[in-house]
Amino acid sequence: MRDHPHAGDTPHPDVWTGRATNRVQWLLALVGAACMALGIELAVESAWTSGIAPLVMSVVGCIAAGLLVLFGTLAFVHVDLRLDKESLEVRCGHIGVPRRRIPLSHVAGAEFAAYVTPRQWGGWGYRWRPEKGTAVVVRCGEGIVLRLWDGHTFTITVDNAESAVRVIRERLRTITPGPAR
């Protein structure tokens, strides 16, 4: 185990926060912006003589692909994790969407995962695999695996995951298990 700021017997803060960032996603966002720029360039500087339909399809296609890539990648440039005494909240990207809030009463346990990769989950982002559960993966590296009372798992890549697992385990000792009614 690595040494982290919250290691040992030091008391944990009321609200624990963590974050993971993937700078490679910014390159993909630039590709999306370039597709949009190409679409705009085609619309403005068009000298196509084959008709309006191919031009419109090219412009709309470039802009749509650019927006999809741009917003799809910016949504998963980073993940923020907020853990208070009652719940764990995961927010993705700059506007915090997608977002998931899990009450600690729904959590059966937490484990530290030393190395989580996008390859294990089929890519970056908010992922679901029937045999593995759900995950928010924004980069390779350490993460948290939550075992929920309903039998599902939820994995989050976040820096200082060992500390988060310790805080979660400590808080689980004081919470009544099972889903809220």
Side-chain angles (χ1 to χ4, degrees):
M1 292 177 104
R2 287 182 234 134
D3 293 328
H4 288 297
H6 299 295
D9 295 328
T10 59
H12 299 293
D14 288 339
V15 176
W16 187 96
T17 58
R19 181 181 184 118
T21 302
N22 184 345
R23 289 182 175 84
V24 174
Q25 293 282 64
W26 285 107
L27 295 174
L28 295 173
L30 287 175
V31 170
C35 284
M36 286 180 37
L38 177 61
I40 293 168
E41 177 71 20
L42 285 172
V44 173
E45 298 292 326
S46 170
W48 289 25
T49 57
S50 59
I52 192 77
L55 174 63
V56 169
M57 290 187 334
S58 297
V59 169
V60 170
C62 284
I63 292 175
L67 285 172
L68 186 65
V69 171
L70 182 65
F71 290 118
T73 57
L74 289 180
F76 295 102
V77 167
H78 69 266
V79 62
D80 289 314
L81 178 69
R82 183 180 189 277
L83 173 64
D84 59 29
K85 293 187 183 278
E86 297 158 0
S87 66
L88 177 137
E89 185 175 60
V90 179
R91 293 175 163 218
C92 300
H94 295 290
I95 59 173
V97 176
R99 169 185 319 183
R100 181 161 182 194
R101 184 179 177 278
I102 302 172
L104 290 178
S105 62
H106 293 201
V107 178
E111 285 90 35
F112 170 72
Y115 196 67
V116 178
T117 67
R119 186 176 198 189
Q120 294 168 331
W121 287 94
W124 285 314
Y126 200 103
R127 310 309 257 175
W128 175 75
R129 294 189 60 189
E131 72 279 4
K132 293 185 82 162
T134 308
V136 176
V137 180
V138 296
R139 53 113 174 105
C140 294
E142 61 184 317
I144 303 165
V145 180
L146 297 175
R147 287 180 291 105
L148 305 177
W149 284 110
D150 63 5
H152 294 97
T153 63
F154 187 67
T155 304
I156 311 119
T157 55
V158 65
D159 295 334
N160 203 2
E162 285 177 299
S163 174
V165 168
R166 280 194 300 273
V167 172
I168 292 168
R169 286 177 179 168
E170 178 182 298
R171 293 191 178 160
L172 288 178
R173 287 186 212 130
T174 63
I175 291 185
T176 305
R181 299 188 202 291

